[in-house]
């Protein structure tokens, strides 16, 4: 006779008749067994979903005071039943009590599978996918900022009206929006938002402002209204550019701004471009050197614009005529401004700066990097290429000149020999 030791887990998991046989006990079939219902209550089915998520994502008051749970705010509470309808699935089933009543009249309904409906399946898939998939907010190309759906570069409309006065024709562009973390003794680490915007009407009135708040929309609204309260007036030369070249700086940020002809466009930093559009400047080139700190960049550019002088003021400063040369006028001199008293040649000192660009730039020169020759210019194959295509070198320029002068591409001898042109036609 062999003895077996059974653990409690093995004992409970085995059928009762097998255990009785192993112990040589004949089961009595007349024995009555009583059953008792036991409620299986635990942590997960006792509490609702909100409290369960709170236990995962939140920290107790004592833990928060000690600085625990710093990254708990990043966890998003998810709806685990999102896109799910109880009793409705891809298979067309009839579930009494879920998708159909239990009793229909005097008939007790049973679970059964209904014939497949392809239209219903496609609709369920589309509804479920639309509810479960995260869709990024799509913006039109006109409403986009500098980088996709981010706020810098986007328009937020004119400033709020002050009493009965409204900002008609104004538009505000966001230049910067960033979050700041502040450490406080009582509240710990708190988050603030800082915004910088520029507003203008495109006709010489513009201003910039800063705003701080607990939320991003409030910070933007503060900055927008402060920019509207600090408007500055600028003179636009011929309605499209600045009065003259200038050099400006703020902190370690240096900006060299150059006046350009009509049609050149705005070739500059994107923040400077937004400021120029708010003011109404259309043609300009700006070179930034040193620090790219955005607030310093904006302040430096506004300082440079405010320090501009009109052509008449420049003529009065130097007591000389101000003459302009333009390529569209074949560099023919044109007097723009004349002073009340003009100095003679003998009255001008020998060491005085007479170069206009050097004078308005405050003796500052733009740093020009050395240009190296391309590597392929020293290769024999490139020299062979130049020699081979020498006879075709000016063809594009000649074709363009013929279209400008004669209206089409034709020979220089067409006027002398018109019969040749008729044969070609």
């Amino acid at each position: 006779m062999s003895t077996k030791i059974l653990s409690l887990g093995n004992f409970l998991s085995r059928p009762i008749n097998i255990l009785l046989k192993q112990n040589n006990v004949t089961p009595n079939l007349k024995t009555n067994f009583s059953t008792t219902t036991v409620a299986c209550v635990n942590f997960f089915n006792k509490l609702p979903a909100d409290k369960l998520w709170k236990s995962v994502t939140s920290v107790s008051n004592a833990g928060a005071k000690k600085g625990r749970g710093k990254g708990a705010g990043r966890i998003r509470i998810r709806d685990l039943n999102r896109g799910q309808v109880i009793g409705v699935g891809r298979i067309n089933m009839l579930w009494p009590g879920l998708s159909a009543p239990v009793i229909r009249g005097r008939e007790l309904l049973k679970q059964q599978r209904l014939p497949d409906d392809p239209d219903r399946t496609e609709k369920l898939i589309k509804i479920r996918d639309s509810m479960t998939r995260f869709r990024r907010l799509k913006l039109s190309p006109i409403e986009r900022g500098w980088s996709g759906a981010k706020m810098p570069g986007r328009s937020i409309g004119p400033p709020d009206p002050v009493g009965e006065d409204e900002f008609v024709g104004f538009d505000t562009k966001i230049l910067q929006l960033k979050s700041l973390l502040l450490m406080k003794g009582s509240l710990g680490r708190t988050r603030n938002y800082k915004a910088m915007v520029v507003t203008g009407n495109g006709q010489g009135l513009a201003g910039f402002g800063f705003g701080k708040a607990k939320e991003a929309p409030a910070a933007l609204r503060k900055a927008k209204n402060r920019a509207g309260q600090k408007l500055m007036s600028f003179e636009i030369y011929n309605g499209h550019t600045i009065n003259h070249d200038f050099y400006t700086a703020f902190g370690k940020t240096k900006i060299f701004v150059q006046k350009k002809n009509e049609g050149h466009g705005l070739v500059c930093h994107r923040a400077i471009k937004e400021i120029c559009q708010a003011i109404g400047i259309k043609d300009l080139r700006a070179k930034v050197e040193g620090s790219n700190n955005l607030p310093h960049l904006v302040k430096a550019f506004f300082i440079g614009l405010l320090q501009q002088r009109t052509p008449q003021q420049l003529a009065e400063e130097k007591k000389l005529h101000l003459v302009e040369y333009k390529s569209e006028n074949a560099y023919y001199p044109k007097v723009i401004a004349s002073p009340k008293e003009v100095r003679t040649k003998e009255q001008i000192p020998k060491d005085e700066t007479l170069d206009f660009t050097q004078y308005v730039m405050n003796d500052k020169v733009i740093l020009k990097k050395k240009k190296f020759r391309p590597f392929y210019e020293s290769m024999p194959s490139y020299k062979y290429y130049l020699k081979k295509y020498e006879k075709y070198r000016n063809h594009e320029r000649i074709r363009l000149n013929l279209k400008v002068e004669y209206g089409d591409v034709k020979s220089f001898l067409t006027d002398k020999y018109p019969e040749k042109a008729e044969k070609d036609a």
Side-chain angles (χ1 to χ4, degrees):
M1 180 177 179
S2 61
T3 307
K4 292 184 179 179
I5 300 174
L6 297 176
S7 64
L8 181 63
N10 293 332
F11 180 79
L12 293 176
S13 62
R14 294 191 175 195
I16 189 169
N17 54 355
I18 296 175
L19 294 174
L20 291 173
K21 284 181 182 179
Q22 287 179 353
N23 291 286
N24 297 322
V25 179
T26 305
N28 187 7
L29 299 176
K30 294 182 180 181
T31 305
N32 295 326
F33 293 95
S34 61
T35 59
T36 306
T37 58
V38 179
C40 297
V41 179
N42 58 17
F43 177 78
F44 294 101
N45 59 18
K46 183 180 179 181
L47 299 175
D50 296 340
K51 292 189 176 181
L52 289 175
W53 275 114
K54 189 176 180 182
S55 65
V56 177
T57 58
S58 64
V59 184
S60 63
N61 294 332
K65 289 180 180 179
K66 293 180 180 179
R68 293 174 184 162
K70 294 179 180 178
R74 301 175 187 172
I75 302 174
R76 295 180 181 177
I77 298 175
R78 299 179 182 177
D79 185 7
L80 299 179
N81 296 322
R82 187 178 183 182
Q84 306 293 332
V85 181
I86 298 176
V88 179
R90 295 190 178 185
I91 302 174
N92 196 4
M93 293 288 295
L94 183 68
W95 300 97
L98 293 177
S99 59
V102 179
I103 299 174
R104 184 185 295 165
R106 295 184 177 181
E107 180 186 0
L108 182 66
L109 294 181
K110 297 181 180 179
Q111 173 193 345
Q112 58 178 333
R113 179 168 180 173
L114 301 176
D116 294 337
D117 186 5
D119 296 337
R120 174 182 174 277
T121 307
E122 290 180 3
K123 288 180 182 178
L124 286 173
I125 293 171
K126 288 181 180 178
I127 292 170
R128 187 169 297 174
D129 291 346
S130 65
M131 295 181 71
T132 54
R133 290 180 184 175
F134 173 73
R135 292 188 176 182
R136 191 178 294 276
L137 179 64
K138 288 188 177 181
L139 295 172
S140 67
I142 300 174
E143 295 178 351
R144 282 183 56 197
W146 295 336
S147 177
K150 293 184 178 180
M151 291 304 292
R154 292 180 59 181
S155 173
I156 54 174
D160 298 336
V162 181
E164 297 180 355
D165 300 329
E166 296 183 356
F167 292 86
V168 180
F170 280 77
D171 190 20
T172 306
K173 291 291 184 72
I174 303 171
L175 299 180
Q176 190 181 54
L177 179 65
K178 62 180 184 179
S179 61
L180 305 174
L181 292 174
L182 304 178
M183 198 67 183
K184 298 184 178 180
S186 57
L187 301 176
R189 187 176 294 172
T190 59
R191 185 181 296 274
N192 276 16
Y193 286 90
K194 180 182 179 182
M196 179 176 61
V197 303
V198 60
T199 185
N201 62 352
Q203 297 177 3
L205 273 179
F208 68 97
F210 298 87
K212 288 183 182 179
K214 294 287 184 184
E215 301 294 334
L220 291 172
R221 187 178 64 253
K222 280 184 181 180
K224 179 175 66 172
N225 294 336
R226 286 175 183 172
Q229 296 169 3
K230 300 176 181 179
L231 295 177
M232 293 167 272
S233 178
F234 303 98
E235 185 176 347
I236 306 173
Y237 183 75
N238 288 344
H240 72 95
T241 187
I242 55 179
N243 288 328
H244 56 81
D245 301 356
F246 62 84
Y247 163 81
T248 179
F250 189 92
K252 292 188 177 181
T253 303
K254 307 169 188 176
I255 309 176
F256 296 87
V257 185
Q258 293 176 325
K259 173 183 176 181
K260 291 296 178 180
N261 293 334
E262 193 169 0
H264 183 273
L266 297 170
V267 183
C268 53
H269 191 278
R270 56 189 183 182
I272 297 176
K273 184 177 180 180
E274 297 293 347
I275 296 170
C276 291
Q277 290 175 351
I279 296 171
I281 298 171
K282 302 173 184 176
D283 305 293
L284 173 142
R285 182 183 181 274
K287 176 74 167 58
V288 180
E289 292 183 6
S291 173
N292 278 331
N293 186 9
L294 204 59
H296 286 193
L297 190 74
V298 174
K299 292 175 183 178
F301 188 68
F302 269 95
I303 289 171
L305 291 175
L306 291 171
Q307 290 178 349
Q308 282 186 109
R309 289 155 288 180
T310 61
Q312 188 62 36
Q313 290 174 346
L314 290 169
E316 292 292 345
E317 284 179 13
K318 299 293 287 185
K319 293 185 179 180
L320 295 170
H321 297 285
L322 191 62
V323 183
E324 184 181 53
Y325 298 87
K326 278 189 176 182
S327 58
E328 54 261 32
N329 295 335
Y331 295 102
Y332 189 80
K334 179 183 176 182
V335 178
I336 299 176
S338 298
K340 295 179 181 178
E341 298 180 4
V342 182
R343 290 186 294 173
T344 60
K345 193 173 182 179
E346 291 76 16
Q347 293 176 340
I348 301 174
K350 292 182 179 180
D351 58 345
E352 185 177 348
T353 303
L354 294 178
D355 184 71
F356 179 76
T357 305
Q358 185 179 353
Y359 176 70
V360 295
M361 284 284 191
N362 296 330
D363 298 331
K364 301 290 183 180
V365 181
I366 301 175
L367 176 64
K368 293 183 179 179
K369 295 182 180 180
K370 183 181 178 181
K371 291 185 178 180
F372 296 94
R373 294 176 60 187
F375 69 93
Y376 53 81
E377 285 192 2
S378 59
M379 298 173 64
S381 59
Y382 183 72
K383 295 177 181 178
Y384 174 74
Y385 166 79
L386 291 178
K387 186 177 179 181
K388 183 178 178 181
Y389 289 95
E390 176 67 25
K391 53 186 176 182
Y392 307 110
R393 185 163 53 91
N394 294 326
H395 276 202
E396 287 297 326
R397 187 172 57 84
I398 291 170
R399 290 168 67 91
L400 184 62
N401 290 340
L402 285 172
K403 287 182 180 180
V404 171
E405 294 178 9
Y406 300 103
D408 58 343
V409 179
K410 62 181 182 179
S411 173
F412 294 102
L413 303 175
T414 304
D415 297 335
K416 189 174 181 181
Y417 304 102
E419 63 275 5
K420 180 64 177 174
E422 293 175 2
K423 287 181 182 179
D424 294 341

